mmCIF file of all heavy atoms in Angstrom:
data_model
loop_
_atom_site.group_PDB
_atom_site.id
_atom_site.type_symbol
_atom_site.label_atom_id
_atom_site.label_comp_id
_atom_site.label_asym_id
_atom_site.label_seq_id
_atom_site.Cartn_x
_atom_site.Cartn_y
_atom_site.Cartn_z
ATOM 1 N N GLU O 394 96.157 177.801 93.367
ATOM 2 C CA GLU O 394 96.627 178.488 94.573
ATOM 3 C C GLU O 394 97.339 179.755 94.205
ATOM 4 O O GLU O 394 98.266 179.740 93.414
ATOM 5 C CB GLU O 394 97.537 177.539 95.380
ATOM 6 C CG GLU O 394 98.055 178.201 96.664
ATOM 7 C CD GLU O 394 98.750 177.189 97.516
ATOM 8 O OE1 GLU O 394 98.073 176.445 98.277
ATOM 9 O OE2 GLU O 394 99.991 177.147 97.457
ATOM 10 N N GLY O 395 96.895 180.847 94.769
ATOM 11 C CA GLY O 395 97.474 182.117 94.456
ATOM 12 C C GLY O 395 96.655 183.236 95.036
ATOM 13 O O GLY O 395 95.837 182.998 95.948
ATOM 14 N N ARG O 396 96.835 184.412 94.526
ATOM 15 C CA ARG O 396 96.132 185.569 95.116
ATOM 16 C C ARG O 396 94.611 185.358 95.113
ATOM 17 O O ARG O 396 93.954 185.699 96.099
ATOM 18 C CB ARG O 396 96.480 186.797 94.278
ATOM 19 C CG ARG O 396 95.481 187.815 94.612
ATOM 20 C CD ARG O 396 95.712 189.193 94.210
ATOM 21 N NE ARG O 396 94.650 189.951 94.895
ATOM 22 C CZ ARG O 396 94.673 191.220 95.074
ATOM 23 N NH1 ARG O 396 95.682 191.937 94.630
ATOM 24 N NH2 ARG O 396 93.709 191.805 95.692
ATOM 25 N N SER O 398 92.781 182.533 95.089
ATOM 26 C CA SER O 398 92.318 181.510 96.084
ATOM 27 C C SER O 398 92.406 182.105 97.513
ATOM 28 O O SER O 398 91.580 181.820 98.379
ATOM 29 C CB SER O 398 93.153 180.231 95.996
ATOM 30 O OG SER O 398 94.463 180.401 96.352
ATOM 31 N N THR O 399 93.402 182.936 97.715
ATOM 32 C CA THR O 399 93.567 183.550 99.031
ATOM 33 C C THR O 399 92.403 184.536 99.264
ATOM 34 O O THR O 399 91.861 184.594 100.385
ATOM 35 C CB THR O 399 94.932 184.274 99.128
ATOM 36 O OG1 THR O 399 95.919 183.232 99.156
ATOM 37 C CG2 THR O 399 95.051 185.173 100.368
ATOM 38 N N GLU O 400 92.048 185.273 98.247
ATOM 39 C CA GLU O 400 90.904 186.218 98.379
ATOM 40 C C GLU O 400 89.608 185.443 98.678
ATOM 41 O O GLU O 400 88.788 185.849 99.475
ATOM 42 C CB GLU O 400 90.646 186.926 97.030
ATOM 43 C CG GLU O 400 91.214 188.288 96.924
ATOM 44 C CD GLU O 400 90.871 188.889 95.565
ATOM 45 O OE1 GLU O 400 89.777 188.664 95.077
ATOM 46 O OE2 GLU O 400 91.793 189.565 95.034
ATOM 47 N N LEU O 401 89.407 184.316 97.994
ATOM 48 C CA LEU O 401 88.111 183.588 98.048
ATOM 49 C C LEU O 401 88.085 182.616 99.175
ATOM 50 O O LEU O 401 86.990 182.080 99.467
ATOM 51 C CB LEU O 401 87.845 182.902 96.715
ATOM 52 C CG LEU O 401 87.757 183.781 95.475
ATOM 53 C CD1 LEU O 401 87.518 182.982 94.215
ATOM 54 C CD2 LEU O 401 86.649 184.828 95.667
ATOM 55 N N GLY O 402 89.193 182.314 99.785
ATOM 56 C CA GLY O 402 89.195 181.323 100.853
ATOM 57 C C GLY O 402 88.959 179.907 100.358
ATOM 58 O O GLY O 402 88.512 179.037 101.121
ATOM 59 N N LEU O 403 89.194 179.705 99.093
ATOM 60 C CA LEU O 403 89.064 178.338 98.539
ATOM 61 C C LEU O 403 90.421 177.647 98.623
ATOM 62 O O LEU O 403 91.457 178.245 98.325
ATOM 63 C CB LEU O 403 88.610 178.397 97.095
ATOM 64 C CG LEU O 403 87.140 178.718 96.818
ATOM 65 C CD1 LEU O 403 86.896 178.922 95.313
ATOM 66 C CD2 LEU O 403 86.210 177.685 97.393
ATOM 67 N N ARG O 470 85.987 184.365 90.564
ATOM 68 C CA ARG O 470 85.555 185.294 91.612
ATOM 69 C C ARG O 470 84.087 185.196 91.942
ATOM 70 O O ARG O 470 83.682 185.530 93.061
ATOM 71 C CB ARG O 470 85.898 186.718 91.261
ATOM 72 C CG ARG O 470 87.364 187.098 91.541
ATOM 73 C CD ARG O 470 87.506 188.533 91.894
ATOM 74 N NE ARG O 470 88.839 188.853 92.371
ATOM 75 C CZ ARG O 470 89.820 189.305 91.562
ATOM 76 N NH1 ARG O 470 89.561 189.493 90.278
ATOM 77 N NH2 ARG O 470 90.969 189.564 92.066
ATOM 78 N N ASP O 471 83.252 184.695 91.011
ATOM 79 C CA ASP O 471 81.835 184.577 91.291
ATOM 80 C C ASP O 471 81.459 183.161 91.771
ATOM 81 O O ASP O 471 80.284 182.834 91.851
ATOM 82 C CB ASP O 471 80.984 184.940 90.057
ATOM 83 C CG ASP O 471 81.107 186.397 89.687
ATOM 84 O OD1 ASP O 471 81.291 187.179 90.618
ATOM 85 O OD2 ASP O 471 81.074 186.712 88.471
ATOM 86 N N PHE O 472 82.470 182.345 92.016
ATOM 87 C CA PHE O 472 82.214 180.970 92.455
ATOM 88 C C PHE O 472 81.337 180.174 91.465
ATOM 89 O O PHE O 472 80.520 179.341 91.875
ATOM 90 C CB PHE O 472 81.508 180.955 93.851
ATOM 91 C CG PHE O 472 82.311 181.495 94.977
ATOM 92 C CD1 PHE O 472 82.171 182.826 95.367
ATOM 93 C CD2 PHE O 472 83.262 180.738 95.642
ATOM 94 C CE1 PHE O 472 82.944 183.343 96.413
ATOM 95 C CE2 PHE O 472 84.034 181.232 96.667
ATOM 96 C CZ PHE O 472 83.863 182.583 97.044
ATOM 97 N N ASP O 473 81.511 180.411 90.223
ATOM 98 C CA ASP O 473 80.705 179.770 89.170
ATOM 99 C C ASP O 473 81.366 178.440 88.849
ATOM 100 O O ASP O 473 82.484 178.414 88.290
ATOM 101 C CB ASP O 473 80.622 180.650 87.937
ATOM 102 C CG ASP O 473 79.802 180.021 86.829
ATOM 103 O OD1 ASP O 473 79.507 178.779 86.898
ATOM 104 O OD2 ASP O 473 79.484 180.726 85.876
ATOM 105 N N GLU O 516 75.461 172.127 89.103
ATOM 106 C CA GLU O 516 74.646 173.180 89.777
ATOM 107 C C GLU O 516 74.531 172.895 91.244
ATOM 108 O O GLU O 516 73.467 172.722 91.814
ATOM 109 C CB GLU O 516 73.266 173.239 89.105
ATOM 110 C CG GLU O 516 73.358 173.925 87.755
ATOM 111 C CD GLU O 516 72.046 173.843 86.963
ATOM 112 O OE1 GLU O 516 71.027 173.458 87.522
ATOM 113 O OE2 GLU O 516 72.099 174.214 85.786
ATOM 114 N N VAL O 517 75.698 172.839 91.887
ATOM 115 C CA VAL O 517 75.762 172.609 93.346
ATOM 116 C C VAL O 517 76.845 173.536 93.891
ATOM 117 O O VAL O 517 77.423 174.316 93.114
ATOM 118 C CB VAL O 517 76.117 171.143 93.657
ATOM 119 C CG1 VAL O 517 74.998 170.208 93.264
ATOM 120 C CG2 VAL O 517 77.445 170.701 92.940
ATOM 121 N N GLU O 518 77.108 173.465 95.194
ATOM 122 C CA GLU O 518 78.126 174.271 95.790
ATOM 123 C C GLU O 518 79.432 174.054 95.035
ATOM 124 O O GLU O 518 79.746 172.969 94.601
ATOM 125 C CB GLU O 518 78.313 173.883 97.274
ATOM 126 C CG GLU O 518 77.097 174.222 98.138
ATOM 127 C CD GLU O 518 76.070 173.103 98.196
ATOM 128 O OE1 GLU O 518 75.892 172.413 97.202
ATOM 129 O OE2 GLU O 518 75.431 172.957 99.271
ATOM 130 N N PHE O 519 80.245 175.137 94.894
ATOM 131 C CA PHE O 519 81.493 175.063 94.145
ATOM 132 C C PHE O 519 82.343 173.860 94.584
ATOM 133 O O PHE O 519 82.871 173.149 93.740
ATOM 134 C CB PHE O 519 82.289 176.383 94.323
ATOM 135 C CG PHE O 519 83.444 176.433 93.391
ATOM 136 C CD1 PHE O 519 83.321 176.969 92.125
ATOM 137 C CD2 PHE O 519 84.729 175.998 93.776
ATOM 138 C CE1 PHE O 519 84.386 177.073 91.250
ATOM 139 C CE2 PHE O 519 85.794 176.063 92.893
ATOM 140 C CZ PHE O 519 85.625 176.606 91.636
ATOM 141 N N GLU O 520 82.401 173.633 95.903
ATOM 142 C CA GLU O 520 83.225 172.547 96.398
ATOM 143 C C GLU O 520 82.745 171.196 95.925
ATOM 144 O O GLU O 520 83.551 170.315 95.669
ATOM 145 C CB GLU O 520 83.259 172.601 97.962
ATOM 146 C CG GLU O 520 84.068 171.535 98.604
ATOM 147 C CD GLU O 520 84.183 171.727 100.093
ATOM 148 O OE1 GLU O 520 83.897 172.855 100.619
ATOM 149 O OE2 GLU O 520 84.580 170.749 100.789
ATOM 150 N N TYR O 521 81.438 171.049 95.827
ATOM 151 C CA TYR O 521 80.879 169.731 95.455
ATOM 152 C C TYR O 521 80.758 169.546 93.931
ATOM 153 O O TYR O 521 80.504 168.459 93.437
ATOM 154 C CB TYR O 521 79.521 169.549 96.064
ATOM 155 C CG TYR O 521 79.447 169.701 97.576
ATOM 156 C CD1 TYR O 521 78.363 170.247 98.234
ATOM 157 C CD2 TYR O 521 80.558 169.372 98.369
ATOM 158 C CE1 TYR O 521 78.307 170.360 99.598
ATOM 159 C CE2 TYR O 521 80.555 169.523 99.727
ATOM 160 C CZ TYR O 521 79.427 170.035 100.349
ATOM 161 O OH TYR O 521 79.400 170.203 101.706
ATOM 162 N N LYS D 1380 84.116 192.454 101.248
ATOM 163 C CA LYS D 1380 84.973 192.862 100.072
ATOM 164 C C LYS D 1380 84.234 193.791 99.119
ATOM 165 O O LYS D 1380 84.807 194.707 98.581
ATOM 166 C CB LYS D 1380 85.476 191.626 99.323
ATOM 167 C CG LYS D 1380 86.575 191.946 98.358
ATOM 168 C CD LYS D 1380 87.255 190.692 97.811
ATOM 169 C CE LYS D 1380 86.362 189.842 96.976
ATOM 170 N NZ LYS D 1380 87.025 188.657 96.426
ATOM 171 N N LEU D 1458 71.271 171.938 97.532
ATOM 172 C CA LEU D 1458 71.060 173.296 98.091
ATOM 173 C C LEU D 1458 70.150 174.143 97.236
ATOM 174 O O LEU D 1458 69.332 174.855 97.752
ATOM 175 C CB LEU D 1458 72.471 173.968 98.199
ATOM 176 C CG LEU D 1458 72.470 175.372 98.760
ATOM 177 C CD1 LEU D 1458 72.002 175.393 100.197
ATOM 178 C CD2 LEU D 1458 73.844 176.017 98.641
ATOM 179 N N HIS D 1477 77.383 178.160 105.747
ATOM 180 C CA HIS D 1477 77.667 176.969 104.988
ATOM 181 C C HIS D 1477 79.166 176.700 105.019
ATOM 182 O O HIS D 1477 79.962 177.621 105.023
ATOM 183 C CB HIS D 1477 77.171 177.171 103.544
ATOM 184 C CG HIS D 1477 76.962 175.910 102.763
ATOM 185 N ND1 HIS D 1477 78.000 175.008 102.486
ATOM 186 C CD2 HIS D 1477 75.826 175.359 102.249
ATOM 187 C CE1 HIS D 1477 77.505 174.019 101.802
ATOM 188 N NE2 HIS D 1477 76.199 174.164 101.643
ATOM 189 N N SER D 1478 79.521 175.434 105.021
ATOM 190 C CA SER D 1478 80.949 175.077 105.088
ATOM 191 C C SER D 1478 81.618 175.339 103.732
ATOM 192 O O SER D 1478 82.862 175.336 103.663
ATOM 193 C CB SER D 1478 81.130 173.636 105.473
ATOM 194 O OG SER D 1478 80.479 172.787 104.559
ATOM 195 N N CYS D 1479 80.850 175.578 102.678
ATOM 196 C CA CYS D 1479 81.440 175.752 101.340
ATOM 197 C C CYS D 1479 81.505 177.285 101.026
ATOM 198 O O CYS D 1479 80.490 177.949 101.063
ATOM 199 C CB CYS D 1479 80.605 175.101 100.261
ATOM 200 S SG CYS D 1479 80.611 173.301 100.352
ATOM 201 N N ALA D 1480 82.713 177.727 100.681
ATOM 202 C CA ALA D 1480 82.848 179.084 100.240
ATOM 203 C C ALA D 1480 81.981 179.309 99.017
ATOM 204 O O ALA D 1480 81.956 178.455 98.121
ATOM 205 C CB ALA D 1480 84.332 179.373 99.905
ATOM 206 N N GLY D 1481 81.296 180.419 98.963
ATOM 207 C CA GLY D 1481 80.502 180.740 97.785
ATOM 208 C C GLY D 1481 79.041 180.258 97.845
ATOM 209 O O GLY D 1481 78.259 180.650 96.997
ATOM 210 N N HIS D 1484 76.522 183.035 97.784
ATOM 211 C CA HIS D 1484 76.480 183.691 96.493
ATOM 212 C C HIS D 1484 75.556 182.906 95.531
ATOM 213 O O HIS D 1484 74.806 183.468 94.730
ATOM 214 C CB HIS D 1484 77.880 183.832 95.919
ATOM 215 C CG HIS D 1484 78.826 184.464 96.878
ATOM 216 N ND1 HIS D 1484 79.222 183.901 98.047
ATOM 217 C CD2 HIS D 1484 79.430 185.691 96.839
ATOM 218 C CE1 HIS D 1484 80.024 184.714 98.688
ATOM 219 N NE2 HIS D 1484 80.187 185.797 98.003
ATOM 220 N N MET D 1485 75.693 181.586 95.652
ATOM 221 C CA MET D 1485 74.798 180.738 94.824
ATOM 222 C C MET D 1485 73.341 180.946 95.213
ATOM 223 O O MET D 1485 72.489 181.088 94.332
ATOM 224 C CB MET D 1485 75.270 179.276 95.096
ATOM 225 C CG MET D 1485 74.463 178.235 94.347
ATOM 226 S SD MET D 1485 75.042 176.585 94.843
ATOM 227 C CE MET D 1485 73.767 175.614 94.067
ATOM 228 N N ARG D 1488 71.942 184.142 93.870
ATOM 229 C CA ARG D 1488 71.590 184.107 92.418
ATOM 230 C C ARG D 1488 70.273 183.359 92.212
ATOM 231 O O ARG D 1488 69.602 183.635 91.233
ATOM 232 C CB ARG D 1488 72.701 183.338 91.655
ATOM 233 C CG ARG D 1488 73.944 184.212 91.389
ATOM 234 C CD ARG D 1488 74.822 183.552 90.317
ATOM 235 N NE ARG D 1488 75.380 182.258 90.733
ATOM 236 C CZ ARG D 1488 76.596 182.163 91.259
ATOM 237 N NH1 ARG D 1488 77.350 183.202 91.448
ATOM 238 N NH2 ARG D 1488 77.045 180.965 91.610
ATOM 239 N N ALA D 1501 86.023 179.203 104.309
ATOM 240 C CA ALA D 1501 87.139 180.059 104.747
ATOM 241 C C ALA D 1501 87.044 181.411 104.035
ATOM 242 O O ALA D 1501 88.037 182.150 104.013
ATOM 243 C CB ALA D 1501 88.484 179.399 104.518
ATOM 244 N N HIS D 1502 85.909 181.700 103.470
ATOM 245 C CA HIS D 1502 85.831 182.914 102.604
ATOM 246 C C HIS D 1502 85.555 184.164 103.389
ATOM 247 O O HIS D 1502 86.450 184.968 103.628
ATOM 248 C CB HIS D 1502 84.737 182.667 101.521
ATOM 249 C CG HIS D 1502 84.537 183.845 100.633
ATOM 250 N ND1 HIS D 1502 83.276 184.276 100.212
ATOM 251 C CD2 HIS D 1502 85.428 184.690 100.042
ATOM 252 C CE1 HIS D 1502 83.446 185.312 99.434
ATOM 253 N NE2 HIS D 1502 84.708 185.599 99.314
ATOM 254 N N ARG D 1540 89.720 187.106 106.831
ATOM 255 C CA ARG D 1540 89.493 187.730 105.503
ATOM 256 C C ARG D 1540 88.537 188.889 105.589
ATOM 257 O O ARG D 1540 88.830 189.967 105.045
ATOM 258 C CB ARG D 1540 88.966 186.671 104.524
ATOM 259 C CG ARG D 1540 90.061 185.831 103.883
ATOM 260 C CD ARG D 1540 89.557 184.870 102.922
ATOM 261 N NE ARG D 1540 90.674 184.045 102.465
ATOM 262 C CZ ARG D 1540 91.254 183.091 103.195
ATOM 263 N NH1 ARG D 1540 90.807 182.802 104.390
ATOM 264 N NH2 ARG D 1540 92.322 182.433 102.747
ATOM 265 N N TYR D 1544 89.515 192.829 104.734
ATOM 266 C CA TYR D 1544 88.808 193.685 103.727
ATOM 267 C C TYR D 1544 88.279 194.929 104.361
ATOM 268 O O TYR D 1544 88.423 196.020 103.861
ATOM 269 C CB TYR D 1544 87.694 192.881 103.053
ATOM 270 C CG TYR D 1544 88.181 191.714 102.187
ATOM 271 C CD1 TYR D 1544 87.527 190.490 102.275
ATOM 272 C CD2 TYR D 1544 89.246 191.847 101.352
ATOM 273 C CE1 TYR D 1544 87.931 189.394 101.497
ATOM 274 C CE2 TYR D 1544 89.672 190.755 100.545
ATOM 275 C CZ TYR D 1544 88.986 189.537 100.643
ATOM 276 O OH TYR D 1544 89.436 188.514 99.894
ATOM 277 N N PRO D 1563 98.131 182.125 103.826
ATOM 278 C CA PRO D 1563 97.747 181.712 102.481
ATOM 279 C C PRO D 1563 98.715 182.384 101.476
ATOM 280 O O PRO D 1563 99.260 183.458 101.729
ATOM 281 C CB PRO D 1563 96.343 182.217 102.334
ATOM 282 C CG PRO D 1563 96.174 183.304 103.309
ATOM 283 C CD PRO D 1563 97.091 182.990 104.437
ATOM 284 N N ARG D 1564 98.819 181.778 100.319
ATOM 285 C CA ARG D 1564 99.711 182.237 99.260
ATOM 286 C C ARG D 1564 99.359 183.681 98.861
ATOM 287 O O ARG D 1564 98.150 184.030 98.748
ATOM 288 C CB ARG D 1564 99.495 181.344 98.045
ATOM 289 C CG ARG D 1564 100.512 181.541 96.900
ATOM 290 C CD ARG D 1564 101.526 180.453 96.977
ATOM 291 N NE ARG D 1564 102.471 180.586 95.903
ATOM 292 C CZ ARG D 1564 103.751 180.308 96.070
ATOM 293 N NH1 ARG D 1564 104.234 179.894 97.228
ATOM 294 N NH2 ARG D 1564 104.597 180.448 95.066
ATOM 295 N N ASP D 1565 100.354 184.505 98.672
ATOM 296 C CA ASP D 1565 100.172 185.904 98.198
ATOM 297 C C ASP D 1565 99.327 186.755 99.109
ATOM 298 O O ASP D 1565 98.677 187.713 98.690
ATOM 299 C CB ASP D 1565 99.558 185.865 96.787
ATOM 300 C CG ASP D 1565 100.421 185.147 95.772
ATOM 301 O OD1 ASP D 1565 101.653 185.087 95.954
ATOM 302 O OD2 ASP D 1565 99.851 184.585 94.798
ATOM 303 N N ILE D 1566 99.300 186.451 100.416
ATOM 304 C CA ILE D 1566 98.458 187.207 101.352
ATOM 305 C C ILE D 1566 98.854 188.659 101.387
ATOM 306 O O ILE D 1566 98.004 189.538 101.585
ATOM 307 C CB ILE D 1566 98.501 186.543 102.786
ATOM 308 C CG1 ILE D 1566 97.612 187.271 103.782
ATOM 309 C CG2 ILE D 1566 99.907 186.493 103.318
ATOM 310 C CD1 ILE D 1566 96.143 187.174 103.530
ATOM 311 N N GLU D 1568 99.385 190.586 99.069
ATOM 312 C CA GLU D 1568 98.691 191.344 98.014
ATOM 313 C C GLU D 1568 97.282 191.821 98.461
ATOM 314 O O GLU D 1568 96.645 192.617 97.843
ATOM 315 C CB GLU D 1568 98.524 190.473 96.737
ATOM 316 C CG GLU D 1568 99.865 190.227 96.048
ATOM 317 C CD GLU D 1568 99.739 189.441 94.782
ATOM 318 O OE1 GLU D 1568 98.702 189.575 94.078
ATOM 319 O OE2 GLU D 1568 100.660 188.675 94.495
ATOM 320 N N LEU D 1569 96.817 191.313 99.622
ATOM 321 C CA LEU D 1569 95.578 191.811 100.206
ATOM 322 C C LEU D 1569 95.803 193.028 101.051
ATOM 323 O O LEU D 1569 94.898 193.545 101.698
ATOM 324 C CB LEU D 1569 94.890 190.704 100.998
ATOM 325 C CG LEU D 1569 93.856 189.838 100.258
ATOM 326 C CD1 LEU D 1569 94.403 189.277 98.958
ATOM 327 C CD2 LEU D 1569 93.355 188.695 101.130
#
Side-chain angles (χ1 to χ4, degrees):
Chain O
E394 181 170 277
R396 164 167 189 163
S398 66
T399 290
E400 262 182 38
L401 299 179
L403 286 173
R470 279 213 172 93
D471 293 329
F472 296 96
D473 180 347
E516 287 171 10
V517 292
E518 294 88 327
F519 190 87
E520 181 173 341
Y521 305 148
Chain D
K1380 192 169 66 179
L1458 179 65
H1477 200 296
S1478 60
C1479 294
H1484 307 67
M1485 180 182 170
R1488 281 196 294 267
H1502 179 222
R1540 276 182 185 75
Y1544 294 136
R1564 192 102 178 142
D1565 301 331
I1566 180 68
E1568 292 183 32
L1569 267 51

